[in-house]
Amino acid sequence: MHLTRRALLKSAGVGGGALLASRLVPGGREAAGADEESAAAPVDEWVPTACWIGKQDCGMLARRVDGRVVKFEGNPAHPRNAGTLCPKGMAQIVSVYDPHRLRVPLVRTNEKGSSGEWREASWDEALTLVADKINEVRDDDPKLIIWQKGRSKSKELYDEPVVEALGATRLGHGAFCSDAGYRACEYTTGVEGVLHPDFQHTRYLLSWGWNITNGGGNKLCWITWNRQLLDARERGLKIVVIDPRLRSAGPFADEWLPIRPATDLAFALALQNVLLELGYVDEEYLKNSTNAPFLVGDDGHVVRVGGVEAVWDQASARLKAYDDPTLVDPLLEGKVFLESGQSVRPAFEVVKEHVAQYTPEWAAEITGIPAETIRRIAAELGENAQIGSTIEIDGHSLPYRPVAAMAYHMAQQELGFQATRAMLGVFMLLGAVGAVGGQRIEVGKWKFDEEKWAKWNEVEIGDPPYSFTLKDSKFFPINSANPQVVAGVMQDPERYGVEKLPRMVIVHMTNPLLAYPDQKRAMDLYSRFEFVTVLSPWLTETADYYADVILPTATIEKYEGPIGGTDQYIDAVGLRVPPMEPLYESRGEIDIYLDLMEKVGVLYGEHGYLYYVNEWLKLVEIDEETEEVTPGPYALPLDQKPTVRDIFDRWAKGQGIEEGVAYFEQNGVLVKGPFKVTDFYGAAMDPPFGGVRHRLYGEALLRYREEMKAKGADEIYWQDYTPLPTWRPPTMEASPADYDLYLISYKLIEHKQSRSSFVPLLEELSGGQRLSINPATARARGIENGDEVWVESHNAVTGETRRVRVRAEVTAGIRPDTVGMPHHFGNWTHPWGQNRGPSPNEILFSGEGYVANTADQSYHVKVRVYKA
């Protein structure tokens, strides 16, 4: 594999001539004036790094010729992708050499709200402008500075240290992703993540809104899950797809259940109904590892003894604290009358009575899935769970429950929080949570997060004035910090009891105008900020319309990390190593923040940026009681400005890697080996799950509901704060009857968010925007494949309508009452991304009813479709 420099420059280039003249590339011999014909042989080498454009940071080898990268391949040593790369990984070289990348810092010269006019600035001037504004706002209130990220890729150096050093407010993309599912899992089990299976042992899988071979899943991207899926299929895994669209499931699934959009909660409740009816219940798990035995009064609140949740001990016929060492056999079913005359029931009995109303026949009317199918799926789940069975792994006898769900972005719906709780409830009844082959949540080690476990159970709902994120408010007490909620607050702060509004925003690796639902509201939000700074390699739509200063970032040409390396079974950690110097005057974000924090005056000393980097990279020890900080041997000095390489060298040595960062520069990833069984399975911990009682019954949610009502919140805010998942029709169902179709949106594997939408190789594969519509639905409207149609949405709360024009794609792989549009389109700034069709985000809404419960975003809306 040798490529001459002449051949490289003569080639058509990657993606239609995207390779630049070597005079622009650091290390190029032409830049030094050398004569190519007489020059020495080129230096041809392979450098380990990690994918930048994708989600899961696959290990890569970059082929570098005379200091410039000419090709990417997968790193065989990396557990996640095992030497393979997807089209995004291969095509991102176009992004590196994209001639439309930003070359220097830019300062706006025209009014915001329209396409920008710019002048070039030095880094010193640009950073000074940003730092001066930061200090101006900090003098008022540092919380009025927003740091907003997409996928930051280096949390320990971006998210936490930047926000804490500035005292700013962090907004993320999670409310538009799967935060509803995260909050549900954290509240229920204390583990961060959503739902995925133990592919090595699962034998029956509900692929619930998972795009099987084209969508990745919980915390990973594409290659890892696909590889494990195919291996599991060869071992006999049965897959049932629950999704309005067939997607790529075809030959990889056994059955497709085309569920009506936004009715997943109803389906999960009906599954619980049948499991209880058939007696598929793991009593040992429910008694010992959940709050199912906790006694609940008629008011819905849990009875306590000495402040501790109480159970009824059948052996002694006495009321006892659940952790009483004399407890023998807690009651799960029935009713008990206490000496006071109070009638109480175990939480499990409350669950039984609650789900009795959600019969398969009831669910069939709502979900569109026949009652007999619902009964059969529940029975198959119960049978395959093999309740009571065990398996021997590494000398440990563990519960074996080989049933699970794969569900990630399924949570992107109005009832997503409670739908995820209901799905977890299915597997809690079966004892499959944290068991071998059962329901997993975190990728890799089963990590109980005590802080989040307590946090969502101890929310204190305050009185106005509230923070502009509405955290701990009567509106969204369990909060996902949704930027579109902030937009609503800024439009009418008095309505939400907010006095102080954000004044500036630092936008890090995200493009809110394109990436998030409700483009109209996003534009209104950014028009209200006094100052907007965007860190990006390109002129994004957000920067084009609203940035005051744009700071050009590198793509893959930078250090970033630590990044995950696990494939869920093998413990590994990686680092993104720059395979070449940053092009033009672009810089890695960590370099930018080091300089910016210095200009602001918060780089050095206690509670400065370096102080928090030490904390988050665990280069210091912090006493939990006294909060005393003891520097480790590799801690960063708080009075010296480090290089980025030095930071990661200290981190690596702190990990016990003698070579420091040089190890990653040579290998890319540190593979530590398989997880211990006692770390991987919650049920294998001693005691199981660390002694935590999973919350089958959510008493705190009832308390929040009561407090929200008492403080005067409208029903639309508190209606879903129920101790048990409770069905109601989604808000969109109130739209007029002529809006007779559900619009769903989905992701194409060819793209990753909006930063890949202008890579020509990926655009060619993706095919541009289209509306998936069922043949029967199309015929009824006189629509043929390829016709231009209008898709008009309706806001059931405000009555507002919006529409976009798009090409119809007639397919039998979608329900007749549903249409679908993929994301990733709607670009107008980058020449390679223009004229590819609109984004569904233009016609989605983000106000009340479309942002619900935990301030999470719904991607469902009722529409009508007609020929253009």
Side-chain angles (χ1 to χ4, degrees):
M1 292 178 59
H2 291 286
L3 185 64
T4 69
R5 191 168 191 78
R6 180 176 293 278
L8 173 66
L9 295 176
K10 275 189 170 183
S11 70
V14 180
L19 293 181
L20 300 175
S22 59
R23 63 184 176 83
L24 299 176
V25 182
R29 284 204 306 277
E30 284 84 346
D35 179 78
E36 184 173 344
E37 297 298 333
S38 61
V43 177
D44 193 335
E45 55 193 333
W46 290 88
V47 181
T49 185
C51 179
W52 172 79
I53 207 166
K55 173 182 176 180
Q56 70 177 33
D57 302 306
C58 286
M60 297 200 309
L61 299 176
R63 187 182 180 190
R64 186 168 64 192
V65 179
D66 281 2
R68 82 190 273 174
V69 173
V70 298
K71 185 180 183 182
F72 292 123
E73 291 188 2
N75 184 350
H78 204 292
R80 284 194 173 170
N81 56 310
T84 60
L85 277 185
C86 76
K88 294 191 293 288
M90 297 293 289
Q92 69 187 293
I93 195 166
V94 178
S95 299
V96 177
Y97 294 111
D98 184 347
H100 303 287
R101 274 182 59 175
L102 297 174
R103 303 184 179 214
V104 296
L106 299 176
V107 177
R108 180 180 291 274
T109 61
N110 66 328
E111 292 294 321
K112 292 191 284 190
S114 61
S115 196
E117 297 175 9
W118 312 92
R119 67 174 176 85
E120 296 183 359
S122 68
W123 272 102
D124 184 70
E125 180 192 5
L127 290 174
T128 298
L129 287 171
V130 178
D132 287 349
K133 189 63 181 183
I134 287 174
N135 280 326
E136 176 191 324
V137 179
R138 290 183 80 232
D139 287 343
D140 176 7
D141 184 343
K143 289 296 182 184
L144 305 186
I145 302 168
I146 288 177
W147 185 81
Q148 182 177 11
K149 74 165 185 175
R151 195 167 296 279
S152 68
K153 300 281 188 179
S154 198
K155 178 180 179 180
E156 290 82 356
L157 284 96
Y158 299 153
D159 305 36
E160 309 300 342
V162 171
V163 171
E164 291 185 283
L166 293 178
T169 299
R170 180 173 62 242
L171 295 181
H173 75 285
F176 306 123
C177 182
S178 52
D179 265 18
Y182 272 72
R183 300 295 86 82
C185 291
E186 290 163 0
Y187 177 74
T188 305
T189 68
V191 179
E192 181 189 70
V194 193
L195 306 178
H196 68 273
D198 172 15
F199 273 121
Q200 289 185 358
H201 298 282
T202 303
R203 294 295 174 265
Y204 192 96
L205 175 66
L206 299 183
S207 174
W208 210 321
W210 179 44
N211 201 358
I212 284 207
T213 62
N214 277 0
N218 185 12
K219 297 192 177 182
L220 298 179
C221 185
W222 191 30
I223 294 173
T224 303
W225 291 129
N226 286 358
R227 188 174 71 244
Q228 293 179 11
L229 168 72
L230 294 177
D231 288 345
R233 287 288 284 172
E234 290 183 2
R235 290 191 294 267
L237 173 69
K238 179 175 181 178
I239 299 178
V240 177
V241 173
I242 305 169
D243 197 306
R245 291 178 63 240
L246 180 59
R247 309 203 194 206
S248 58
F252 302 101
D254 297 278
E255 187 172 3
W256 173 36
L257 306 183
I259 192 170
R260 182 172 288 119
T263 64
D264 305 275
L265 172 57
F267 187 77
L269 290 169
L271 290 179
Q272 289 190 34
N273 175 290
V274 178
L275 290 174
L276 289 167
E277 176 187 319
L278 298 178
Y280 285 117
V281 174
D282 188 335
E283 291 192 6
E284 182 178 357
Y285 162 77
L286 290 174
K287 285 184 177 182
N288 298 322
S289 296
T290 79
N291 65 1
F294 291 6
L295 296 176
V296 179
D298 291 337
D299 61 358
H301 290 282
V302 173
V303 176
R304 288 169 170 80
V305 175
V308 179
E309 293 89 342
V311 300
W312 184 260
D313 184 12
Q314 297 183 91
S316 62
R318 290 182 57 193
L319 190 70
K320 294 184 178 181
Y322 82 90
D323 58 357
D324 189 324
T326 68
L327 176 65
V328 177
D329 185 19
L331 180 71
L332 269 184
E333 301 180 72
K335 182 180 292 189
V336 174
F337 290 92
L338 304 181
E339 291 182 0
S340 63
Q342 181 183 6
S343 170
V344 296
R345 298 164 294 165
F348 180 68
E349 180 69 26
V350 179
V351 171
K352 286 178 58 181
E353 295 177 9
H354 178 70
V355 301
Q357 63 186 304
Y358 300 123
T359 65
E361 289 72 23
W362 166 85
E365 293 294 320
I366 292 173
T367 65
I369 299 174
E372 56 270 23
T373 301
I374 297 174
R375 290 187 183 278
R376 176 175 53 79
I377 297 299
E380 290 175 358
L381 275 171
E383 181 180 351
N384 280 277
Q386 302 180 44
I387 296 172
S389 64
T390 59
I391 188 172
E392 192 83 10
I393 301 180
D394 296 341
H396 297 269
S397 180
L398 303 173
Y400 178 59
R401 307 286 182 273
V403 294
M406 182 67 141
Y408 189 49
H409 288 133
M410 183 284 305
Q412 294 175 327
Q413 56 178 286
E414 185 183 358
L415 298 168
F417 176 81
Q418 292 288 25
T420 305
R421 284 191 69 218
M423 293 166 65
L424 264 176
V426 168
F427 297 100
M428 291 172 77
L429 293 178
L430 298 170
V433 175
V436 177
Q439 189 61 64
R440 295 193 56 73
I441 299 170
E442 175 64 276
V443 173
K445 184 178 180 180
W446 186 273
K447 289 183 288 190
F448 171 68
D449 190 323
E450 186 173 356
E451 181 179 347
K452 289 181 178 177
W453 172 254
K455 176 182 179 181
W456 302 126
N457 199 50
E458 299 170 0
V459 172
E460 294 185 4
I461 303 175
D463 294 310
Y466 295 128
S467 133
F468 57 78
T469 67
L470 300 185
K471 181 179 181 294
D472 299 334
S473 73
K474 66 181 181 181
F475 303 102
F476 299 107
I478 297 181
N479 197 291
S480 287
N482 188 334
Q484 305 301 52
V485 168
V486 176
V489 169
M490 291 188 75
Q491 290 175 350
D492 191 356
E494 185 176 351
R495 172 185 177 185
Y496 296 101
V498 175
E499 292 182 351
K500 289 190 171 185
L501 298 176
R503 296 177 55 188
M504 72 172 295
V505 58
I506 302 169
V507 181
H508 175 115
M509 202 176 178
T510 188
N511 186 10
L513 262 61
L514 209 65
Y516 305 150
D518 202 340
Q519 186 178 95
K520 181 179 179 181
R521 178 173 276 204
M523 295 178 79
D524 181 81
L525 171 64
Y526 287 88
S527 71
R528 294 173 185 267
F529 290 124
E530 296 174 19
F531 195 89
V532 177
T533 301
V534 173
L535 283 72
S536 173
W538 295 279
L539 178 67
T540 66
E541 282 69 19
T542 305
D544 183 38
Y545 266 49
Y546 298 110
D548 295 277
V549 175
I550 307 176
L551 304 177
T553 63
T555 59
I556 201 172
E557 326 97 280
K558 58 194 173 191
Y559 288 99
E560 276 188 316
I563 54 180
T566 182
D567 67 344
Q568 96 160 301
Y569 296 105
I570 297 174
D571 191 4
V573 63
L575 194 66
R576 180 169 296 103
V577 175
M580 58 188 280
E581 291 295 315
L583 289 179
Y584 319 120
E585 292 185 32
S586 68
R587 295 184 181 181
E589 287 90 330
I590 303 173
D591 285 295
I592 294 172
Y593 287 129
L594 286 169
D595 288 347
L596 180 60
M597 296 300 109
E598 186 175 41
K599 281 188 173 291
V600 173
V602 294
L603 178 63
Y604 307 111
E606 187 174 358
H607 301 302
Y609 176 77
L610 297 177
Y611 174 92
Y612 290 113
V613 169
N614 274 336
E615 177 182 336
W616 284 95
L617 288 180
K618 299 182 179 178
L619 300 177
V620 296
E621 293 184 4
I622 302 177
D623 187 289
E624 293 186 3
E625 293 185 2
T626 66
E627 297 186 357
E628 182 179 349
V629 177
T630 304
Y634 303 108
L636 291 161
L638 300 185
D639 59 351
Q640 299 175 29
K641 187 177 182 179
T643 65
V644 177
R645 187 181 187 279
D646 180 42
I647 292 174
F648 285 115
D649 189 56
R650 291 170 178 273
W651 163 76
K653 289 174 178 175
Q655 296 284 306
I657 304 170
E658 186 177 345
E659 306 97 307
V661 73
Y663 179 91
F664 292 94
E665 292 169 337
Q666 292 296 315
N667 302 281
V669 63
L670 173 65
V671 180
K672 303 177 183 179
F675 285 105
K676 295 179 181 178
V677 66
T678 50
D679 289 334
F680 190 75
Y681 295 109
M685 298 170 67
D686 187 17
F689 308 104
V692 171
R693 293 283 186 145
H694 295 160
R695 295 178 180 128
L696 182 66
Y697 184 81
E699 182 197 23
L701 301 175
L702 173 63
R703 175 165 57 83
Y704 302 157
R705 178 189 180 101
E706 293 170 345
E707 291 182 19
M708 293 164 78
K709 292 173 70 173
K711 291 179 181 294
D714 292 336
E715 183 178 4
I716 201 166
Y717 299 106
W718 53 254
Q719 61 186 342
D720 297 318
Y721 277 86
T722 53
L724 293 173
T726 302
W727 170 257
R728 66 167 175 83
T731 299
M732 64 178 172
E733 296 291 5
S735 288
D738 55 336
Y739 293 87
D740 58 341
L741 299 173
Y742 299 92
L743 173 67
I744 62 174
S745 58
Y746 56 94
K747 296 171 175 60
L748 297 172
I749 194 57
E750 294 86 358
H751 290 305
K752 182 58 197 161
Q753 297 173 331
S754 61
R755 63 181 174 274
S756 58
S757 300
F758 36 79
V759 176
L761 298 178
L762 300 176
E763 275 297 324
E764 183 179 348
L765 290 172
S766 72
Q769 187 57 279
R770 63 275 197 176
L771 179 78
S772 298
I773 185 169
N774 185 275
T777 309
R779 281 195 302 272
R781 289 160 172 76
I783 296 170
E784 296 184 0
N785 192 56
D787 283 353
E788 291 285 316
V789 299
W790 287 107
V791 184
E792 181 182 299
S793 65
H794 178 269
N795 188 316
V797 177
T798 67
E800 180 186 357
T801 62
R802 299 175 184 173
R803 69 176 188 170
V804 293
R805 183 168 176 160
V806 66
R807 171 176 55 88
E809 179 185 65
V810 179
T811 172
I814 193 166
R815 285 177 57 95
D817 61 359
T818 304
V819 292
M821 289 175 64
H823 290 286
H824 325 292
F825 303 106
N827 300 77
W828 67 75
T829 60
H830 197 294
W832 296 344
Q834 295 172 356
N835 304 314
R836 302 295 287 173
S839 168
N841 290 335
E842 297 177 38
I843 58 173
L844 294 173
F845 301 103
S846 63
E848 281 75 2
Y850 297 88
V851 168
N853 208 352
T854 61
D856 47 274
Q857 172 69 44
S858 167
Y859 282 77
H860 296 140
V861 67
K862 295 299 287 291
V863 300
R864 64 190 186 103
V865 175
Y866 48 94
K867 290 187 68 172

